[in-house]
Amino acid sequence: MWWSSHPARESNAMTSADQIAPSAPDGTPRRGRARWWIIASVAALLIATGAVVISAQGSSGSDGPVTALPAPRFVDDAVASGIDHSYTGDFDYFVGGGVAAFDCNDDGRTDLYFAGGSSPAALYRNTSTVGGALEFETVASSTTDLTSVTGAYPLDIDGDGQLDLVVLRHGANVVLRGLGDCGFEAATDRFGLDGGDDWTTAFSATWEGDNELPTLAFGTYLEADRTTCGDSSLVRPAGDTYGRPVALQPGYCTLSMLFSDWSRTGQRDLRLANDRHYYTDGSEQLFRVAPGQDPQPYTAADGWVPLQVWGMGLASQDLTGDGLPEVFITSQGDNKLQTLDAGPATPAYRDIALRSGVTAQRPYIGGDVLPSTAWHPEFEDVNNDGLVDLFVSKGNVEGQTDQAMRDPSNLLIGQADGTFVEGAETAGIVSYEKARGAALVDLNLDGLLDLVVVNREAPVNVWRNVGSGDGDVSSPMGHWLAVDLEQPAPDVDAVGAWIEVRTDVGTLQREVTVGGGHASGQAGWIHLGLGTSDNADVRVTWPDGEVGSWMAVDADRFVTIARGESTPRPWEPTTG
């Protein structure tokens, strides 16, 4: 991924992975660069003419047509919102730059905690009115206003109903225990955790068995010498605190990690995205994490297909309707969208990014023809048409002359045939700042997902989604549903659950995870677009595999689904 002072790489984004991968992005054997260019060109032509048709994303048992809506409009509320924050610093902060989006005072609104790099981190309380302009106020505290912060992830570690913060740093990582009303206390020692002194840029968590505390994974980028990949680590509970970290070896400079039940067997394994700039013999990784056993990397003997990219961010979502999540990996040049090649029996993935239209290998506007640099990916339905969309933050590392400098983020709008088309220009979110972490969340509780983007050495972007509205006034597009899950402690937020939402055009499935993205995590309302359906049926497969019953719910509602209850509980936001 990195500096132009290092040996030059092939700058052609379409073939950046081909240099070292044994096959072309779709998994076919490579027989020379020229032949692959012909195949790629033909595939692109087929997509453009509609000849390639992929199953409607995330749906199964479809009984009617799904109509894709255009990109919604966004209004820039950054200055008016009261948020004034930048991610700053030299080499040690070229990566990272995340935001944690979560509710820290139980009012249903999503608050924001920003990494600051060499500047202090900052917590902002959301005071927006329902459907109105976005408004925030600073919550200043020496506990949260830490320096050297690269990212943060919300997680209720102790199951007390208050979200805690896992704060990643260049130096000792910190756990902040939520006290309510956006107050926090330092709790790293309370949980028996060793914050370490490495350069940490990734995090994920899951619950294993009957443990009272979650299993935590920390992604190390570089060791103290700042030239060598460090080992990431897995930390499991030992009673009511944590035991010694277990090294995830070998270490290949991890920039994102995600626990996910990729095979739908109930076992949540750990995927790592690694920066190949610093290694020569490594690859992306998937670790088998079985209760009571040390983590083990999947190998070729297990069906794992090595992939070397400048891995920076991860996102997963079932796009094909088979119940198995696809995985999107951001990189420099062409990004990867991987799907299981032959079902869940083995972790053998093939790439479908080209035919899906999500390689996003070069800037789509601005005149720069060099390859892009992608960071934070996130699957969400921004126009509520029932088809999942994909946001990808973009920005040059710092001054890499072989990568695009004018490199705006992508907003890829999902289509009924499973492909994606660019919608950022229509949406009005084109920016040439060096974007890093991000969050798509409904900040003013109007059923439309807003967009927050952290920028390097520039103020954050805060865009309010106004749907099909004209000017600053929002107007609905499709219908929607926002779901909050609740179950008894310890895993009160049901991390590891699967949500199914069934409408008259099919079924959408979402996995509840902690991790992924680029140094940015979210907790709270799970947003689902319903398209033209004004009602839906919802079912939850709980983390231990128990399948709940289908529950009827009206559209355009916030609901809590509590384990053991037969109907969802409606929630109404206060107007203030």
Side-chain angles (χ1 to χ4, degrees), residues 451-476:
L451 175 61
V452 179
V453 179
V454 180
N455 296 310
R456 173 166 164 71
E457 299 286 358
V460 301
N461 297 120
V462 182
W463 280 295
R464 175 165 49 93
N465 188 340
V466 297
S468 60
D470 184 18
D472 288 349
V473 180
S474 64
S475 180

Side-chain angles (χ1 to χ4, degrees), residues 105-236:
N105 60 347
D106 295 320
D107 66 353
R109 291 166 172 79
T110 299
D111 308 298
L112 301 171
Y113 180 72
F114 292 100
S118 62
S119 301
L123 177 63
Y124 286 85
R125 180 189 289 116
N126 188 349
T127 60
S128 306
T129 58
V130 177
L134 304 181
E135 299 177 0
F136 289 83
E137 60 185 22
T138 306
V139 183
S141 167
S142 59
T143 304
T144 54
D145 298 352
L146 305 169
T147 57
S148 304
V149 174
T150 59
Y153 289 80
L155 171 69
D156 190 347
I157 295 176
D158 55 5
D160 65 352
Q162 297 292 337
L163 283 165
D164 311 307
L165 275 176
V166 177
V167 181
L168 310 181
R169 302 176 71 229
H170 194 294
N173 299 317
V174 172
V175 173
L176 302 179
R177 181 171 176 264
L179 303 176
D181 197 27
C182 295
F184 293 87
E185 66 177 10
T188 313
D189 293 339
R190 174 193 179 105
F191 291 115
L193 287 165
D194 179 1
D197 59 2
D198 291 324
W199 184 350
T200 307
T201 48
F203 176 79
S204 191
T206 190
W207 263 263
E208 295 184 90
D210 297 326
N211 290 341
E212 290 297 311
L213 297 172
T215 294
L216 311 178
F218 292 87
T220 299
Y221 189 51
L222 294 177
E223 293 182 344
D225 63 5
R226 303 199 306 179
T227 61
T228 305
C229 292
D231 291 336
S232 296
S233 61
L234 188 80
V235 189
R236 283 176 161 140

Side-chain angles (χ1 to χ4, degrees), residues 160 309 316 427 541 545:
D160 65 352
V309 293
S316 68
T541 299

Side-chain angles (χ1 to χ4, degrees), residues 70-76 364 382 391 409-413 422-430 451 463-467:
R73 288 191 61 256
F74 287 81
V75 172
D76 186 356
Y364 54 88
V382 298
F391 173 78
S409 301
N410 298 94
L411 184 62
L412 299 161
I413 303 300
E422 184 58 60
E425 188 176 5
T426 300
I429 62 166
V430 174
L451 175 61
W463 280 295
R464 175 165 49 93
N465 188 340
V466 297

Side-chain angles (χ1 to χ4, degrees), residues 208-441:
E208 295 184 90
D210 297 326
N211 290 341
E212 290 297 311
L213 297 172
T215 294
L216 311 178
F218 292 87
T220 299
Y221 189 51
L222 294 177
E223 293 182 344
D225 63 5
R226 303 199 306 179
T227 61
T228 305
C229 292
D231 291 336
S232 296
S233 61
L234 188 80
V235 189
R236 283 176 161 140
D240 58 357
T241 58
Y242 281 95
R244 294 174 60 85
V246 177
L248 298 172
Q249 295 177 325
Y252 293 134
C253 290
T254 299
L255 282 173
S256 186
M257 57 201 328
L258 179 65
F259 277 109
S260 174
D261 185 3
W262 62 270
S263 60
R264 295 304 297 270
T265 60
Q267 178 173 302
R268 288 169 279 277
D269 292 325
L270 183 62
R271 183 94 181 230
L272 277 63
N274 300 316
D275 181 5
R276 66 164 289 210
H277 173 80
Y278 288 101
Y279 65 76
T280 57
D281 58 346
S283 69
E284 300 292 283
Q285 294 168 295
L286 179 66
F287 280 86
R288 181 186 290 106
V289 182
Q293 301 178 23
D294 285 342
Q296 296 294 327
Y298 284 90
T299 67
D302 303 307
W304 178 250
V305 180
L307 174 67
Q308 291 183 323
V309 293
W310 290 271
M312 293 151 146
L314 291 169
S316 68
Q317 171 67 39
D318 175 22
L319 299 174
T320 61
D322 62 358
L324 302 170
E326 277 64 49
V327 181
F328 189 79
I329 310 166
T330 55
S331 180
Q332 286 189 313
D334 54 333
N335 302 289
K336 301 298 179 185
L337 178 61
Q338 293 195 310
T339 190
L340 286 168
D341 197 22
T346 62
Y349 285 87
R350 60 185 172 85
D351 194 73
I352 57 171
L354 179 63
R355 74 177 189 177
S356 301
V358 295
T359 56
Q361 73 269 33
R362 297 182 190 277
Y364 54 88
I365 192 175
D368 202 322
V369 298
L370 293 173
S372 284
T373 303
W375 299 90
H376 179 90
E378 190 166 341
F379 286 108
E380 289 288 357
D381 188 350
V382 298
N383 54 9
N384 290 336
D385 60 0
L387 299 167
V388 176
D389 310 305
L390 174 61
F391 173 78
V392 182
S393 71
K394 295 276 191 72
N396 196 285
V397 173
E398 184 63 12
Q400 282 189 289
T401 57
D402 57 347
Q403 303 293 132
M405 294 299 297
R406 292 172 59 80
D407 198 6
S409 301
N410 298 94
L411 184 62
L412 299 161
I413 303 300
Q415 304 299 295
D417 64 358
T419 62
F420 294 77
V421 298
E422 184 58 60
E425 188 176 5
T426 300
I429 62 166
V430 174
S431 169
Y432 297 106
E433 303 294 353
K434 297 182 180 73
R436 293 297 191 263
L440 277 166
V441 283

